[in-house]
Amino acid sequence: MLSAASGRQIGLLLDRQGRPEMVIVGNAHSILIPELGRERAVGGRLRGLRLLHTHLTDSGLSEEDLTDMLFLRLDSMAALSVDKLGQPQTLHVAHLLPPNPENRSWEILPPRRWDRLDLDFTAMAESLEDELARGVEVKAVAGEERALLISVSTESRAVQEASLNELAELARTAGLSVMGRMTQRMRQMNPKTVLGKGKIAELEIQALQQDAQVLVFDRELTPAQQRTLADMTERKVLDRTQLILDIFAQRATSRSGKLQVEMAQLKYLQPRLVGQNRALSRLAGGIGGRGPGETKLEIDRRRVRERITRIKSELEDLRRRRGYTRERRAKSGVPVVALVGYTNAGKSTLLNTLTGSVVLAEDKLFATLDPTSRRIRFPREREVVLTDTVGFIRQLPDELREAFQATLEELESADLLVHVADAGSPELESQVAAVEFILGEMELGKIARVLVLNKWDTLAEDERQIVRNIYPEGIPVVAKDRNSLEPLVEAILAKLPEAGDTEVTQSDQQ
């Protein structure tokens, strides 16, 4: 009666005991559901609320109704049509679906008279949650957050898939369980949400069905895009840069490494600081101060700037100390050989095998962040300093490129660069090209180098021939097998300058 008399849709949000949580009044054609908070809005669970609202015509559930049900993760959505006299007529009901062969997002039940409804809404919602939980039990790893990977690009599908494979390795290294992935090719990015509206709905249902708590985008998001996506999906939203920064934060062990990571994180955070309520954040004004004072946001930004300045000063001191160490090495006449290459190519394993060291070497990206140097005596009574450096990666964040300048300065004093490549990687050519591009950007192209094709044992004979044809100058090795390294040692000796008379007996670590 009220709905017909007012000419407006009226809605009730009901909990699973049938108790009303909220009354909502809309207009003649739609209803706007206010912010519901984040209660029961995490993981794959439903919110524990269902919406029953009126329709002034018998048109059934609208696309807006179904979209609201999806993004708010409601137990169900019901529309009750009323006639001109306000009498209830037909009830239209829909609910979300667990993973299914048809990839349907929701099911709309056949309409029925309002007084002939025999549906147990609570049992239906609990059953749906059970099915959603069973669908992810096998794929999830205990204790790890579950993530979906998303690629939105103008590149070809093959390029997107290759980049997503690398993102999956980054996610695994960061401690995420990858539950699924999604790709979308677009001619022009949506400046607000990156994805198109329909794709966001598809993403939301996939995240619900896979119980994904984290959405990881294979690109750098603007602060506004990240906030909008987080608000729409009510999930944690990360981009590629943030994921790499998190890995670096986990892996940094030395004072220098920790400072470099902190500075990179602060630079990433700086434009993403947003005030929650400018009217309530005035903290500094008062007697003796002109104007309203600083907002909480301004204070946070100033503190970040001050911390970045302090870190830069400390890093400059560390850079000078590294410079003194390099000068001492240069005076000793011992040549420096630096291992460079794509992350997880096997540089640390090669260092360990050649020198008998125990530097951390794992089948994960960025297992080594801090440069490590070892003195080693080669045949012909040649001694060299062998230095392991941080691995390179495509789309290296600008924040990290600048922050790790001190680390990569080790390469500037090198007499020879040993470029270690993963010969078994399907992305071998693009990885080699990425490393060469970064070395060119760092103006290190004139330093002599040796290309090492590591993990040669992972290739079949026909694959080996293909790689030989592409890189005839490459030296095949298996970093774990010392006997396979003899050709590499000979190549290094051939490229090094003439030996000096200085005798060095001890090893040092940076």
Side-chain angles (χ1 to χ4, degrees):
M1 296 287 289
L2 287 175
S3 186
S6 63
R8 295 171 177 268
Q9 293 186 8
I10 297 177
L12 280 177
L13 271 172
L14 306 169
D15 65 17
R16 291 189 181 172
Q17 284 71 47
R19 297 173 301 206
E21 291 274 336
M22 188 181 298
V23 177
I24 310 169
V25 179
N27 57 34
H29 308 290
S30 64
I31 195 166
L32 178 63
I33 304 173
E35 174 64 43
L36 299 179
R38 295 183 179 267
E39 305 85 27
R40 300 209 64 190
V42 295
R45 294 188 304 173
L46 303 175
R47 195 177 290 272
L49 298 172
R50 67 180 189 270
L51 179 65
L52 169 64
H53 68 296
T54 59
H55 274 191
L56 301 180
T57 62
D58 196 16
S59 56
L61 291 166
S62 66
E63 189 70 25
E64 184 180 0
D65 290 332
L66 297 171
T67 303
D68 284 343
M69 175 181 65
L70 172 60
F71 283 106
L72 296 175
R73 290 177 235 170
L74 299 176
D75 289 359
S76 62
M77 174 70 72
L80 177 63
S81 62
V82 297
D83 61 20
K84 294 181 180 180
L85 299 177
Q87 297 300 314
Q89 298 294 313
T90 309
L91 189 68
H92 304 266
V93 179
H95 63 82
L96 298 172
L97 287 174
N100 57 86
E102 297 82 16
N103 289 322
R104 294 164 55 210
S105 303
W106 48 64
E107 181 177 6
I108 301 176
L109 303 180
R112 62 194 73 188
R113 282 183 55 85
W114 72 276
D115 55 352
R116 296 181 182 177
L117 184 66
D118 56 356
L119 186 61
D120 188 335
F121 287 96
T122 299
M124 181 179 69
E126 291 175 348
S127 174
L128 175 57
E129 284 191 322
D130 289 341
E131 290 188 66
L132 288 168
R134 282 197 298 272
V136 297
E137 283 177 355
V138 177
K139 295 177 67 175
V141 177
E144 292 187 351
E145 289 185 289
R146 296 171 293 276
L148 282 183
L149 311 182
I150 305 102
S151 171
V152 187
S153 174
T154 57
E155 300 285 353
S156 68
R157 183 58 56 90
V159 172
Q160 285 184 283
E161 287 296 337
S163 186
L164 274 178
N165 290 337
E166 185 171 270
L167 188 68
E169 283 301 305
L170 288 169
R172 182 176 71 88
T173 302
L176 295 172
S177 282
V178 177
M179 308 303 294
R181 55 176 66 185
M182 173 181 290
T183 60
Q184 184 178 27
R185 292 187 64 198
M186 301 183 72
R187 293 183 179 179
Q188 188 174 2
M189 300 295 165
N190 186 319
K192 185 176 181 181
T193 58
V194 183
L195 290 161
K197 184 177 180 181
K199 207 66 175 180
I200 292 179
E202 184 181 333
L203 171 63
E204 177 60 27
I205 196 64
Q206 186 175 344
L208 175 67
Q209 292 175 345
Q210 298 292 346
D211 197 11
Q213 303 153 312
V214 185
L215 305 178
V216 185
F217 283 77
D218 191 22
R219 60 182 300 109
E220 184 163 335
L221 300 173
T222 67
Q225 289 169 343
Q226 199 163 13
R227 287 194 300 271
T228 300
L229 288 165
D231 289 341
M232 290 181 67
T233 63
E234 295 186 331
R235 287 180 170 83
K236 186 187 297 183
V237 176
L238 306 178
D239 60 16
R240 182 186 177 91
T241 298
Q242 204 168 357
L243 192 62
I244 293 175
L245 288 173
D246 185 79
I247 294 171
F248 274 55
Q250 293 179 41
R251 297 279 174 169
T253 55
S254 69
R255 173 67 175 164
S256 172
K258 290 177 179 179
L259 284 173
Q260 289 159 350
V261 171
E262 184 183 355
M263 184 168 74
Q265 288 178 319
L266 289 173
K267 287 188 173 182
Y268 178 84
L269 175 65
Q270 201 169 12
R272 288 165 171 81
L273 288 173
V274 178
Q276 297 300 313
N277 188 336
R278 299 179 68 86
L280 300 177
S281 63
R282 303 291 176 176
L283 301 181
I287 298 175
R290 295 286 183 178
E294 289 182 294
T295 66
K296 176 67 163 58
L297 173 61
E298 290 162 351
I299 291 174
D300 289 342
R301 284 178 173 166
R302 176 166 52 80
R303 287 173 176 168
V304 167
R305 289 194 298 270
E306 291 172 351
R307 179 58 182 160
I308 289 175
T309 301
R310 288 197 297 271
I311 292 175
K312 281 184 176 180
S313 176
E314 292 185 56
L315 285 175
E316 189 59 38
D317 290 340
L318 290 170
R319 189 174 290 120
R320 282 196 294 269
R321 294 176 197 172
R322 289 184 189 277
Y324 298 149
T325 302
R326 288 195 295 271
E327 287 177 10
R328 289 198 301 271
R329 287 178 186 164
K331 290 178 181 178
S332 71
V334 180
V336 176
V337 177
L339 301 177
V340 299
Y342 211 77
T343 180
N344 204 29
K347 299 183 299 299
S348 298
T349 302
L350 183 60
L351 176 74
N352 287 339
T353 304
L354 284 172
T355 65
S357 303
V358 287
V359 175
L360 176 65
E362 293 183 282
D363 185 20
K364 289 185 176 180
L365 305 188
F366 300 115
T368 302
L369 291 186
D370 300 304
T372 303
S373 297
R374 292 287 186 270
R375 297 284 176 89
I376 178 175
R377 184 182 293 274
F378 276 167
R380 309 175 198 168
E381 297 301 314
R382 294 300 306 272
E383 288 187 346
V384 303
V385 174
L386 195 61
T387 299
D388 186 17
T389 59
V390 63
F392 296 167
I393 194 169
R394 286 169 293 190
Q395 302 176 46
L396 182 69
D398 291 338
E399 295 89 352
L400 279 178
R401 194 187 301 270
E402 181 180 351
F404 275 79
Q405 184 179 354
T407 302
L408 297 176
E409 279 178 357
E410 294 290 324
L411 302 180
E412 295 178 0
S413 61
D415 298 285
L416 177 67
L417 300 180
V418 176
H419 179 175
V420 183
D422 180 359
S425 171
E427 300 299 312
L428 171 62
E429 292 183 70
S430 62
Q431 291 178 1
V432 170
V435 173
E436 293 295 334
F437 177 77
I438 294 173
L439 291 175
E441 278 193 328
M442 297 171 61
E443 299 181 354
L444 301 175
K446 295 181 180 179
I447 300 179
R449 71 192 64 181
V450 173
L451 177 62
V452 177
L453 301 173
N454 189 26
K455 306 182 185 181
W456 195 248
D457 56 332
T458 63
L459 296 175
E461 187 55 43
D462 57 334
E463 295 173 323
R464 292 179 178 181
Q465 189 57 50
I466 293 173
V467 174
R468 285 193 188 99
N469 292 337
I470 299 174
Y471 301 107
E473 77 285 5
I475 302 174
V477 304
V478 179
K480 295 180 180 179
D481 182 6
R482 191 176 187 87
N483 294 328
S484 74
L485 304 182
E486 291 183 9
L488 171 60
V489 173
E490 291 297 324
I492 291 175
L493 290 173
K495 293 273 188 177
L496 287 177
E498 291 297 321
D501 297 327
T502 305
E503 183 174 353
V504 183
T505 57
Q506 70 178 32
S507 61
D508 63 292
Q509 182 175 357
Q510 298 289 317

